[in-house]
Amino acid sequence: QVRRMHQAPPYPPEEEERLAALRRYRILDTAPEAQFDRIAELAKRRFDAPIALVGFMDAERNFLKARCDLPLTESPRDISFCGYTILDDEVLVVPDATKDERFAENPLVVGDFHVRFYAGAPLIAASGHRIGTVCVFDTEARGSFGDQDKQDLKDLAAIISDHLEMRLIVGDVHDEIEIRRAAEATAHRLAHQDVLTGLA
């Protein structure tokens, strides 16, 4: 029997716009944060999974913002299960990766991690672009992942997306305050100091 080669997930048709949407949040390569860690921990407990992640899909890698029991900060996009999750708004469930032609030869499946089960919900930005995922992995196949499970995972993803939007709003407000302060300082200096001599 001929062994098939692993196939990398395809890129979304709006990939450039998706990457632009992701970069608006300035989340890539940032340090761990409690808000994201709590979501990953909650996903791990809720779905009784050995591994849970919050990841953001960059051009060639999946940046792992939060991860439970996984000693990695990123993974190559071409082997990422999440590369398929960002292709659709719905939860992606892989009951047994060894029986799914998209993943049967994936290094995460045939290699040391022995991934069998995966469930992931996309993180959908306000623009509608899918910029990342919240997901769980197991080393054992699972027979079911019901509608309530899917809804709970989507709810966790929505919490993360809402948090990202709030960060963006707070950041914009902070930037506006700094701009106003700088303008006020300049106006004060011009009103009280000679531009040419620097004298009062």
Side-chain angles (χ1 to χ4, degrees):
Q1 185 177 1
V2 178
R3 190 177 180 89
R4 292 174 306 200
M5 295 294 291
H6 166 66
Q7 295 288 323
Y11 284 73
E14 74 290 353
E15 178 65 4
E16 290 303 317
E17 293 87 350
R18 191 194 69 79
L19 288 172
L22 168 61
R23 292 193 168 92
R24 285 186 65 232
Y25 296 98
R26 294 176 283 190
I27 197 77
L28 295 174
D29 298 313
T30 55
E33 297 177 55
Q35 298 94 324
F36 296 95
D37 290 341
R38 281 197 291 268
I39 293 291
E41 288 285 351
L42 182 56
K44 179 181 176 180
R45 291 196 307 270
R46 165 62 181 84
F47 301 107
D48 192 24
I51 296 173
L53 306 172
V54 175
F56 294 92
M57 191 63 67
D58 200 3
E60 301 297 334
R61 60 175 180 146
N62 191 18
F63 169 63
L64 307 179
K65 177 64 175 175
R67 57 213 179 271
C68 293
D69 298 329
L70 188 67
L72 301 172
T73 57
E74 62 181 53
S75 64
R77 180 171 177 167
D78 61 356
I79 65 170
S80 175
F81 281 57
C82 300
Y84 285 94
T85 305
I86 65 166
L87 299 176
D88 193 88
D89 286 349
E90 297 306 312
V91 173
L92 173 65
V93 179
V94 182
D96 186 345
T98 64
K99 296 179 181 178
D100 189 313
E101 64 181 11
R102 295 169 297 179
F103 307 108
E105 301 300 327
N106 188 300
L108 298 174
V109 176
V110 299
D112 293 339
F113 285 102
H114 302 292
V115 170
R116 293 295 176 267
F117 171 82
Y118 168 90
L123 305 178
I124 303 174
S127 62
H129 295 97
R130 297 174 289 271
I131 59 173
T133 63
V134 56
C135 61
V136 292
F137 292 88
D138 202 340
T139 54
E140 295 182 5
R142 297 193 183 188
S144 65
F145 196 81
D147 290 341
Q148 187 60 58
D149 295 322
K150 292 176 184 177
Q151 187 58 56
D152 288 350
L153 196 57
K154 288 180 78 170
D155 287 345
L156 291 177
I159 291 170
I160 296 170
S161 296
D162 289 347
H163 176 68
L164 289 171
E165 288 305 315
M166 186 58 65
R167 286 164 56 112
L168 202 59
I169 292 169
V170 170
D172 287 346
V173 170
H174 178 267
D175 291 346
E176 180 65 24
I177 290 172
E178 290 302 312
I179 290 170
R180 288 184 182 182
R181 283 181 179 165
E184 288 170 0
T186 299
H188 183 270
R189 188 172 62 254
L190 291 174
H192 297 87
Q193 190 177 57
D194 183 77
V195 177
L196 295 177
T197 66
L199 297 175

